């Protein structure tokens, strides 16, 4: 049996800020946290956002390890068993400084000459280089692309932190398309075909579009419902004066209007109709069907470009600028009931719904600790959330609540996330196949010809 070679993983600050569980993710290998990382964690610990919470959680774990044997100071320098924080781990965790050692080592010849040790990043790299010079199998873990490039140039093995990441290129689409004989489609519509045949490799609440081989305009859309049975998806001509324009929008509305599907994720580029579909279905379910008491809309407060600073007024006044895309969609939906209605009366209708609390706006900042019953919750631009933030939000759902997460993983404004590590993509991959979950990837822009060209060419 091949003997396991213990690796030494040197963690960058952004790894710990991304996930407080990162310390426990390396199991039977050693984990090294450079002193410069501890210094940087100290700068984040007072933050009230996700970064601050993770920084405090990591610091508390390290302090708990230090206190396990108070009569033995310096244990983190000599190594503390990771089994103290994770029962399945067999490696050790260290906190090491970047104090130069042997002046003839390769690390000493590089740092201080080409790389300034006044930079925390360079002090972190120096720890990794020194350990490698001592003969250890070192792997440097960082979510900073530039730092990974520098580490690679110094001869270090480098990796991104993969926990919570998904392959964005192969993200679950929520549907499949297949060509069959036109006679089989006729049998399906006559009720003479066994629909379960088409659902063998389809996830629960997944769709399959069956198209005639010689005429793709003749088709039938099937969905495996929450009970695991295949059913024909009927055409919906009008949902709050909104008619689906393509098959993906038909799928999305079918999930949005099904109360058995408690969590729906809609992924797509600009103009594909994610938010508009979610709002139309929400207005129908709240005002027409009465399934839910109100619509609760929220968005991450992450600016595009330079921020405009502090905003005056109440919470609703502060949120109004961030929620303007929601108002635009509501104006369109409410105004479409009567094309002769003036714009001022459209805004009055939106204000009337908000005054009656049929539609409420909420900042994600205040959602922790809440329980949300009988509400239709829309979280727009969810690609700017971390996996932990998505978990926190979805776990707020009370009885008979439906939650919709919408966003485009390729338009991320959060500097610490990408198309593979954001909470929206993570939720899609982790929840697929669950009976209460449904997902659709919308591909075609329906906003207009210019919007479609901008989304595909620019």
């Amino acid at each position: 049996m091949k003997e396991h070679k213990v690796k030494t993983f040197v963690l960058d600050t952004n790894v710990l800020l991304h996930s407080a569980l990162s310390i426990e993710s390396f199991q039977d290998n050693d984990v090294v946290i450079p002193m410069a990382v501890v210094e940087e964690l100290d700068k984040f610990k007072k933050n009230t956002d996700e970064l601050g919470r993770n920084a405090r959680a990591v610091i508390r774990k390290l302090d708990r390890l230090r206190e396990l044997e108070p009569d033995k100071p310096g244990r983190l320098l000599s190594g503390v068993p990771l089994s103290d924080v994770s029962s399945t781990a067999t490696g050790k965790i260290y906190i090491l400084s970047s104090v130069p050692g042997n002046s003839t080592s390769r690390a000493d010849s590089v740092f201080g000459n080409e790389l300034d040790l006044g930079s925390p990043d360079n002090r972190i790299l120096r720890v990794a280089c020194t350990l490698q010079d001592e003969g250890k199998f070192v792997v440097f873990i960082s979510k900073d692309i530039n730092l990974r490039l520098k580490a690679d140039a110094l001869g270090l093995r480098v990796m991104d932190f993969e926990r919570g990441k998904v392959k964005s290129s192969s993200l679950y689409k929520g549907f499949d398309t297949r060509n069959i004989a036109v006679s089989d489609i006729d049998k399906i519509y006559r009720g003479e075909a066994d629909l379960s045949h088409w659902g063998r490799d389809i996830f629960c609440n997944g769709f399959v579009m069956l198209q005639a081989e010689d005429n793709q305009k003749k088709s039938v859309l099937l969905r495996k419902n929450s009970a695991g049975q295949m059913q024909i998806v009927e055409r919906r001509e009008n949902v709050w004066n909104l008619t689906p324009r393509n098959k993906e929008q038909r799928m999305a509305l079918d999930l949005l209007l099904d109360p058995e599907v408690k969590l729906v994720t809609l992924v797509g580029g600009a103009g594909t109709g994610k938010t508009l579909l979610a709002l139309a279905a929400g207005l129908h379910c709240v005002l027409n069907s009465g399934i839910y008491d109100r619509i609760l809309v929220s968005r991450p407060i992450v600016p595009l470009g330079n921020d405009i600073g502090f905003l005056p007024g109440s919470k609703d006044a502060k949120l109004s600028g961030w929620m303007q895309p929601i108002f635009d969609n509501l104006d369109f939906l409410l105004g479409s009931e009567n094309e002769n209605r003036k714009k001022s009366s459209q805004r009055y209708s939106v204000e009337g719904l908000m005054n009656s609390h049929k539609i409420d706006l909420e900042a994600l900042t205040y959602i922790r600790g809440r329980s949300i019953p009988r509400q239709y919750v829309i979280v727009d631009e969810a690609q700017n959330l971390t996996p932990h933030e998505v978990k926190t939000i979805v776990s707020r759902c009370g009885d008979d609540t439906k939650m919709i997460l919408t966003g485009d993983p390729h338009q991320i404004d959060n500097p610490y996330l990408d198309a593979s590590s954001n909470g929206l993509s993570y939720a899609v991959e982790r929840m697929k196949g669950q009976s209460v979950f449904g997902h659709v990837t919308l591909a075609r822009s329906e906003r207009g010809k210019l919007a479609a060209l901008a989304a595909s060419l620019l």
Side-chain angles (χ1 to χ4, degrees):
M1 183 176 179
K2 187 177 180 180
E3 183 180 356
H4 169 71
K5 183 175 182 179
V6 176
K7 300 182 179 68
T8 300
F9 290 96
V10 180
L11 306 188
D12 190 12
T13 312
N14 47 52
V15 174
L16 303 177
L17 294 176
H18 177 75
S19 172
L21 300 176
S22 55
I23 292 177
E24 307 163 22
S25 301
F26 302 96
Q27 298 299 315
D28 51 351
N29 296 288
D30 292 340
V31 173
V32 172
I33 299 178
M35 189 69 73
V37 169
V38 179
E39 291 179 338
E40 290 195 306
L41 289 176
D42 188 63
K43 298 176 183 177
F44 284 92
K45 69 181 182 183
K46 294 181 181 179
N47 291 12
T48 57
D49 56 10
E50 186 71 14
L51 300 180
R53 286 191 289 271
N54 286 337
R56 291 190 294 274
V58 170
I59 291 170
R60 283 194 292 266
K61 285 182 181 181
L62 295 174
D63 189 54
R64 189 164 65 249
L65 291 171
R66 179 190 62 80
E67 291 179 336
L68 289 176
E69 296 186 43
D71 58 330
K72 295 181 179 179
R75 291 184 69 227
L76 287 170
L77 176 63
S78 57
V80 177
L82 279 169
S83 56
D84 292 337
V85 292
S86 175
S87 58
T88 59
T90 60
K92 289 185 176 183
I93 184 167
Y94 302 80
I95 293 181
L96 301 178
S97 68
S98 59
V99 176
N102 185 352
S103 61
T104 62
S105 70
R106 182 182 60 86
D108 286 345
S109 65
V110 173
F111 292 93
N113 294 324
E114 296 182 54
L115 298 176
D116 180 15
L117 285 175
S119 165
D121 285 352
N122 292 338
R123 295 201 300 274
I124 293 169
L125 284 177
R126 195 196 184 292
V127 170
C129 286
T130 300
L131 291 171
Q132 182 162 282
D133 288 345
E134 293 175 356
K136 298 185 183 300
F137 191 99
V138 175
V139 182
F140 180 64
I141 309 295
S142 177
K143 300 191 71 61
D144 185 331
I145 297 176
N146 192 59
L147 199 54
R148 292 204 301 266
L149 291 175
K150 290 167 68 175
D152 183 80
L154 291 169
L156 292 169
R157 303 172 187 86
V158 295
M159 289 179 60
D160 190 3
F161 184 62
E162 298 291 339
R163 183 166 182 164
K165 292 193 69 172
V166 298
K167 291 184 178 180
S168 60
S169 59
S170 58
L171 191 69
Y172 172 56
K173 294 194 303 181
F175 64 91
D176 195 7
T177 303
R178 299 172 188 173
N179 294 326
I180 63 173
V182 66
S183 58
D184 290 333
I185 292 181
D186 293 334
K187 288 181 181 178
I188 291 175
Y189 278 119
R190 292 196 301 265
E192 300 173 357
D194 180 12
L195 298 183
S196 62
H197 169 74
W198 304 106
R200 292 173 183 172
D201 54 351
I202 300 296
F203 286 113
C204 194
N205 293 316
F207 297 85
V208 56
M209 173 64 79
L210 302 178
Q211 298 176 333
E213 293 173 335
D214 54 351
N215 182 10
Q216 293 191 349
K217 290 185 178 181
K218 186 166 187 178
S219 62
V220 58
L221 180 61
L222 305 178
R223 173 185 148 206
K224 180 182 283 190
N225 62 24
S226 298
Q229 300 174 338
M230 296 299 292
Q231 63 184 29
I232 297 176
V233 178
E234 302 293 340
R235 289 186 179 274
R236 299 180 186 270
E237 296 300 330
N238 190 301
V239 177
W240 203 268
N241 302 295
L242 185 70
T243 301
R245 295 187 176 184
N246 54 54
K247 64 179 185 295
E248 291 88 357
Q249 290 190 355
R250 283 181 61 197
M251 299 174 200
L253 279 177
D254 193 60
L255 293 174
L256 292 168
L257 295 172
D258 187 348
E260 297 299 318
V261 184
K262 305 296 185 182
L263 175 63
V264 177
T265 53
L266 299 179
V267 169
T272 53
K274 306 178 295 296
T275 307
L276 189 65
L277 290 166
L279 283 170
L283 289 169
H284 176 81
C285 292
V286 172
L287 301 180
N288 288 353
S289 304
I291 301 174
Y292 310 102
D293 293 337
R294 63 173 178 162
I295 300 173
L296 179 64
V297 184
S298 190
R299 306 175 88 224
I301 308 300
V302 181
L304 172 63
N306 295 327
D307 198 356
I308 60 176
F310 292 102
L311 298 174
S314 63
K315 181 194 75 172
D316 289 342
K318 293 176 186 292
L319 285 175
S320 62
W322 297 101
M323 296 296 179
Q324 191 57 47
I326 305 299
F327 290 134
D328 293 342
N329 283 295
L330 286 172
D331 277 345
F332 174 81
L333 291 170
L334 295 172
S336 61
E337 287 185 295
N338 183 356
E339 293 183 358
N340 296 322
R341 183 180 294 175
K342 295 181 180 180
K343 189 177 176 95
S344 60
S345 63
Q346 293 179 29
R347 173 59 66 187
Y348 176 77
S349 297
V350 175
E351 291 176 354
L353 290 173
M354 294 187 66
N355 290 335
S356 63
H357 295 289
K358 288 299 182 181
I359 297 178
D360 273 346
L361 309 180
E362 186 64 276
L364 289 177
T365 306
Y366 307 118
I367 205 166
R368 181 181 290 273
R370 292 189 58 185
S371 179
I372 307 175
R374 282 187 57 82
Q375 295 183 35
Y376 186 97
V377 184
I378 302 173
V379 180
D380 199 23
E381 303 294 342
Q383 77 276 4
N384 285 316
L385 299 172
T386 68
H388 182 73
E389 286 172 332
V390 166
K391 177 182 177 180
T392 300
I393 294 166
V394 175
S395 62
R396 299 302 96 203
C397 290
D399 293 335
D400 301 321
T401 286
K402 188 183 188 80
M403 181 163 288
I404 296 89
L405 305 177
T406 70
D408 180 4
H410 300 289
Q411 289 190 349
I412 295 179
D413 303 313
N414 189 321
Y416 296 97
L417 299 175
D418 58 27
S420 298
S421 63
N422 69 88
L424 178 60
S425 298
Y426 181 75
V428 171
E429 283 299 313
R430 293 302 298 266
M431 294 295 291
K432 65 182 180 183
Q434 300 299 317
S435 62
V436 296
F437 172 76
H439 168 74
V440 176
T441 297
L442 297 105
R444 195 167 74 191
S445 175
E446 300 289 354
R447 182 173 291 164
K449 291 183 178 180
L450 178 58
L453 283 172
S456 60
L457 300 178
L458 299 181

